[in-house]
Amino acid sequence: MHTSIRHTATPASTPAPASAPTTVTYCTTLDSPLGELLLVGVDSPTAPCGIALTSLSLPGQRGATVVRTHWRRDARPFAEAIRQLRAYFAGQLPRFELSFQATGTDFQERVWQALDEIPYGTTTTYGRLADALGVPRTDVRALGAAIGANPLLVVRPCHRVIGADGGMRGYAAGVERKIALLTHEGALQPTLI
């Protein structure tokens, strides 16, 4: 799954100049096979759809985004993201083409960008990802923490990173959802009951 990413955010601690327009934050929800998705985004003149996603989270997710009172609830700015998510869950879209504006530390952003390169229907291990990024094996825990801090579940495929033994390691939205996503993408075989 490849995504178009645009990093244009300024750090939250930097006040906007008095003459700059205020950035509007929008949110909406979307039912999915995983539960209700919460989409959050901001106006972005450089994003093809006019909005850049800042967060996509699920109920019960560790560190999930909390809706703020000043955010505008409006599904219209998310029309393209919603279309792509529905197509993904219908098995018709292996690659998202959305603009993101999620910010983290330099290390987190490096890790998140590497997640975007893991192809649909495949997995990689924490160790292989560490090797690809030049992260020493002693820092694999930091890599795991950066993956766990991914604010854009589903569209930024942190679910495609598994243990070296094939085990499903932690997933902020729950291991059962990770298994469901990997099964949906064909990276895991469905289990028979």
Side-chain angles (χ1 to χ4, degrees), residues 81-119:
I82 289 169
R83 183 194 69 75
Q84 289 187 38
L85 283 161
R86 285 183 175 149
Y88 167 81
F89 285 115
Q92 301 166 345
L93 184 79
R95 189 171 119 173
F96 290 96
E97 293 291 337
L98 298 168
S99 292
F100 301 154
Q101 193 169 312
T103 57
T105 66
D106 289 343
F107 180 70
Q108 287 173 327
E109 290 187 19
R110 229 175 95 220
V111 171
W112 298 341
Q113 288 174 357
L115 295 175
D116 294 329
E117 302 306 317
I118 305 168

Coordinates of all heavy atoms in Angstrom, one line a residue, residues 81-119:
A81 N -11.2 10.2 1.3 CA -10.7 9.2 2.3 C -11.8 8.2 2.5 O -11.4 7.0 2.6 CB -10.3 9.9 3.6
I82 N -13.0 8.5 2.7 CA -14.1 7.6 2.9 C -14.3 6.7 1.7 O -14.4 5.4 1.9 CB -15.4 8.3 3.3 CG1 -15.3 9.0 4.7 CG2 -16.6 7.4 3.2 CD1 -16.4 9.9 5.0
R83 N -14.2 7.2 0.5 CA -14.3 6.4 -0.7 C -13.2 5.4 -0.7 O -13.4 4.2 -1.0 CB -14.3 7.3 -1.9 CG -14.5 6.5 -3.2 CD -14.1 7.3 -4.5 NE -12.6 7.5 -4.6 CZ -11.7 6.6 -4.9 NH1 -12.1 5.3 -5.2 NH2 -10.5 6.9 -5.0
Q84 N -12.0 5.8 -0.4 CA -10.8 4.9 -0.5 C -10.9 3.8 0.6 O -10.6 2.7 0.4 CB -9.5 5.7 -0.4 CG -9.2 6.4 -1.7 CD -7.9 7.1 -1.7 OE1 -6.9 6.5 -1.2 NE2 -7.8 8.3 -2.3
L85 N -11.3 4.2 1.8 CA -11.4 3.2 2.9 C -12.5 2.2 2.6 O -12.3 1.0 2.8 CB -11.7 4.0 4.2 CG -10.6 4.6 4.9 CD1 -11.0 5.7 5.9 CD2 -9.6 3.6 5.5
R86 N -13.6 2.6 2.1 CA -14.7 1.7 1.7 C -14.2 0.7 0.6 O -14.5 -0.5 0.7 CB -15.9 2.4 1.2 CG -16.7 3.0 2.4 CD -18.0 3.7 1.9 NE -18.7 4.2 3.1 CZ -19.5 5.2 3.1 NH1 -19.7 6.0 2.0 NH2 -20.2 5.6 4.2
A87 N -13.5 1.2 -0.4 CA -12.9 0.4 -1.4 C -11.9 -0.6 -0.8 O -11.9 -1.8 -1.2 CB -12.3 1.2 -2.5
Y88 N -11.1 -0.1 0.1 CA -10.1 -1.0 0.7 C -10.8 -2.1 1.4 O -10.5 -3.3 1.3 CB -9.2 -0.2 1.7 CG -8.4 -1.1 2.6 CD1 -7.2 -1.6 2.2 CD2 -8.9 -1.3 3.9 CE1 -6.5 -2.4 3.1 CE2 -8.1 -2.1 4.8 CZ -6.9 -2.7 4.3 OH -6.2 -3.5 5.2
F89 N -11.8 -1.8 2.3 CA -12.5 -2.9 3.0 C -13.3 -3.8 2.1 O -13.6 -4.9 2.5 CB -13.4 -2.3 4.1 CG -12.5 -1.8 5.3 CD1 -12.5 -0.5 5.6 CD2 -11.8 -2.7 6.1 CE1 -11.7 -0.1 6.7 CE2 -11.0 -2.3 7.1 CZ -11.0 -1.0 7.5
A90 N -13.7 -3.3 0.9 CA -14.4 -4.1 -0.1 C -13.4 -5.0 -0.9 O -13.8 -5.8 -1.8 CB -15.2 -3.3 -1.0
G91 N -12.1 -4.9 -0.6 CA -11.1 -5.7 -1.3 C -10.8 -5.1 -2.7 O -10.2 -5.8 -3.5
Q92 N -11.1 -3.8 -2.9 CA -10.9 -3.2 -4.3 C -9.8 -2.2 -4.3 O -9.5 -1.6 -5.4 CB -12.2 -2.6 -4.7 CG -13.4 -3.5 -4.8 CD -14.7 -2.8 -4.9 OE1 -14.8 -1.6 -4.6 NE2 -15.7 -3.6 -5.2
L93 N -9.1 -2.0 -3.2 CA -8.1 -0.9 -3.2 C -6.9 -1.4 -2.3 O -6.9 -1.5 -1.1 CB -8.6 0.4 -2.6 CG -7.7 1.6 -2.6 CD1 -7.6 2.2 -4.0 CD2 -8.1 2.6 -1.6
P94 N -5.8 -1.8 -3.0 CA -4.6 -2.2 -2.3 C -3.7 -1.1 -1.9 O -2.7 -1.3 -1.1 CB -3.9 -3.1 -3.2 CG -4.3 -2.6 -4.6 CD -5.7 -2.0 -4.4
R95 N -3.9 0.2 -2.3 CA -3.0 1.3 -2.1 C -3.8 2.6 -1.9 O -4.6 2.9 -2.8 CB -2.1 1.4 -3.3 CG -1.0 2.3 -3.2 CD -0.1 2.1 -4.5 NE -0.1 3.3 -5.2 CZ 0.7 3.5 -6.2 NH1 1.4 2.5 -6.7 NH2 0.7 4.6 -6.8
F96 N -3.5 3.2 -0.8 CA -4.2 4.5 -0.5 C -3.4 5.7 -1.2 O -2.2 5.6 -1.2 CB -4.2 4.8 1.0 CG -5.2 3.9 1.7 CD1 -4.8 2.7 2.3 CD2 -6.5 4.2 1.7 CE1 -5.6 1.9 3.0 CE2 -7.4 3.4 2.4 CZ -7.0 2.2 3.0
E97 N -4.1 6.6 -1.7 CA -3.5 7.9 -2.3 C -4.1 9.0 -1.5 O -5.1 9.7 -2.0 CB -3.8 8.0 -3.8 CG -3.1 6.9 -4.6 CD -1.6 7.1 -4.7 OE1 -1.1 8.2 -4.4 OE2 -0.9 6.1 -4.9
L98 N -3.6 9.3 -0.3 CA -4.2 10.3 0.6 C -3.0 11.2 1.1 O -1.9 10.7 1.1 CB -4.9 9.7 1.8 CG -6.1 8.8 1.5 CD1 -6.5 8.0 2.7 CD2 -7.2 9.7 1.0
S99 N -3.3 12.4 1.5 CA -2.3 13.2 2.1 C -2.4 13.1 3.6 O -3.5 13.1 4.1 CB -2.6 14.7 1.6 OG -2.3 14.8 0.3
F100 N -1.2 13.0 4.2 CA -1.1 12.9 5.7 C -0.5 14.2 6.2 O 0.4 14.7 5.6 CB -0.3 11.7 6.1 CG -0.8 10.4 5.6 CD1 0.0 9.4 5.5 CD2 -2.2 10.2 5.3 CE1 -0.4 8.1 5.1 CE2 -2.6 9.0 4.9 CZ -1.7 7.9 4.8
Q101 N -0.8 14.5 7.4 CA -0.1 15.6 8.1 C 0.0 15.2 9.6 O -0.3 16.0 10.5 CB -0.9 16.9 8.0 CG -0.1 18.1 8.4 CD -0.8 19.4 8.0 OE1 -1.3 19.6 6.9 NE2 -0.9 20.3 9.0
A102 N 0.5 14.0 9.8 CA 0.8 13.5 11.1 C 2.2 13.9 11.5 O 3.1 13.7 10.7 CB 0.6 12.0 11.2
T103 N 2.4 14.4 12.6 CA 3.8 14.8 13.0 C 4.2 14.0 14.3 O 3.4 13.7 15.1 CB 3.9 16.3 13.4 OG1 2.9 16.6 14.4 CG2 3.6 17.2 12.1
G104 N 5.5 13.7 14.3 CA 6.1 13.1 15.4 C 7.5 13.5 15.5 O 7.9 14.5 14.8
T105 N 8.3 12.8 16.2 CA 9.8 13.1 16.3 C 10.3 12.7 14.9 O 9.7 12.0 14.1 CB 10.4 12.2 17.4 OG1 10.4 10.8 17.0 CG2 9.8 12.5 18.7
D106 N 11.6 13.1 14.7 CA 12.2 12.8 13.4 C 12.3 11.3 13.3 O 12.1 10.7 12.2 CB 13.6 13.4 13.4 CG 13.6 14.9 13.2 OD1 12.6 15.4 12.8 OD2 14.7 15.5 13.4
F107 N 12.6 10.6 14.4 CA 12.7 9.1 14.3 C 11.4 8.5 14.0 O 11.3 7.6 13.2 CB 13.3 8.6 15.7 CG 13.4 7.1 15.7 CD1 14.4 6.4 15.0 CD2 12.5 6.3 16.5 CE1 14.5 5.0 15.0 CE2 12.6 4.9 16.5 CZ 13.6 4.3 15.8
Q108 N 10.3 8.9 14.7 CA 9.0 8.4 14.4 C 8.6 8.6 13.0 O 8.1 7.7 12.3 CB 7.9 9.1 15.3 CG 8.0 8.6 16.7 CD 7.0 9.4 17.6 OE1 6.8 10.6 17.4 NE2 6.5 8.8 18.6
E109 N 8.8 9.8 12.4 CA 8.4 10.1 11.0 C 9.2 9.2 10.1 O 8.7 8.7 9.1 CB 8.6 11.5 10.7 CG 7.5 12.4 11.5 CD 7.5 13.8 11.1 OE1 8.1 14.2 10.0 OE2 6.9 14.6 11.9
R110 N 10.5 8.9 10.4 CA 11.3 8.0 9.5 C 10.7 6.6 9.5 O 10.6 6.0 8.5 CB 12.7 8.0 10.1 CG 13.8 8.2 9.0 CD 15.1 8.3 9.6 NE 15.7 6.9 9.5 CZ 16.5 6.4 10.5 NH1 16.7 7.0 11.6 NH2 17.0 5.2 10.3
V111 N 10.3 6.2 10.7 CA 9.7 4.8 10.8 C 8.4 4.8 10.1 O 8.1 3.9 9.4 CB 9.5 4.4 12.3 CG1 8.7 3.2 12.5 CG2 10.9 4.3 13.0
W112 N 7.5 5.8 10.3 CA 6.2 5.8 9.7 C 6.4 5.8 8.1 O 5.6 5.2 7.4 CB 5.4 7.0 10.1 CG 5.1 7.0 11.6 CD1 5.2 6.0 12.5 CD2 4.7 8.2 12.4 NE1 4.8 6.4 13.7 CE2 4.6 7.7 13.7 CE3 4.5 9.5 12.1 CZ2 4.2 8.6 14.8 CZ3 4.2 10.4 13.1 CH2 4.0 9.9 14.4
Q113 N 7.3 6.6 7.6 CA 7.5 6.6 6.2 C 7.9 5.2 5.7 O 7.5 4.7 4.6 CB 8.5 7.6 5.8 CG 8.0 9.0 5.9 CD 9.0 10.1 5.6 OE1 10.2 9.8 5.4 NE2 8.6 11.4 5.7
A114 N 8.7 4.5 6.5 CA 9.1 3.1 6.1 C 7.9 2.2 6.1 O 7.9 1.3 5.3 CB 10.2 2.6 7.1
L115 N 7.0 2.4 7.0 CA 5.7 1.6 7.0 C 5.0 1.7 5.6 O 4.4 0.7 5.2 CB 4.8 2.0 8.1 CG 5.3 1.8 9.5 CD1 4.3 2.4 10.5 CD2 5.6 0.4 9.9
D116 N 5.0 2.9 5.1 CA 4.3 3.1 3.8 C 4.9 2.3 2.7 O 4.2 2.0 1.7 CB 4.4 4.6 3.4 CG 3.7 5.5 4.4 OD1 2.7 5.1 4.9 OD2 4.1 6.7 4.5
E117 N 6.1 1.8 2.8 CA 6.8 1.0 1.8 C 6.5 -0.5 1.9 O 7.0 -1.3 1.0 CB 8.3 1.3 1.8 CG 8.6 2.7 1.6 CD 8.0 3.4 0.4 OE1 8.0 2.7 -0.7 OE2 7.5 4.5 0.5
I118 N 5.8 -0.9 2.9 CA 5.5 -2.4 3.1 C 4.4 -2.7 2.2 O 3.3 -2.2 2.4 CB 5.2 -2.7 4.5 CG1 6.3 -2.3 5.5 CG2 5.0 -4.3 4.6 CD1 6.0 -2.4 6.9
P119 N 4.6 -3.5 1.2 CA 3.5 -3.8 0.2 C 2.3 -4.5 0.8 O 2.4 -5.3 1.7 CB 4.1 -4.7 -0.9 CG 5.6 -4.5 -0.7 CD 5.8 -4.2 0.8

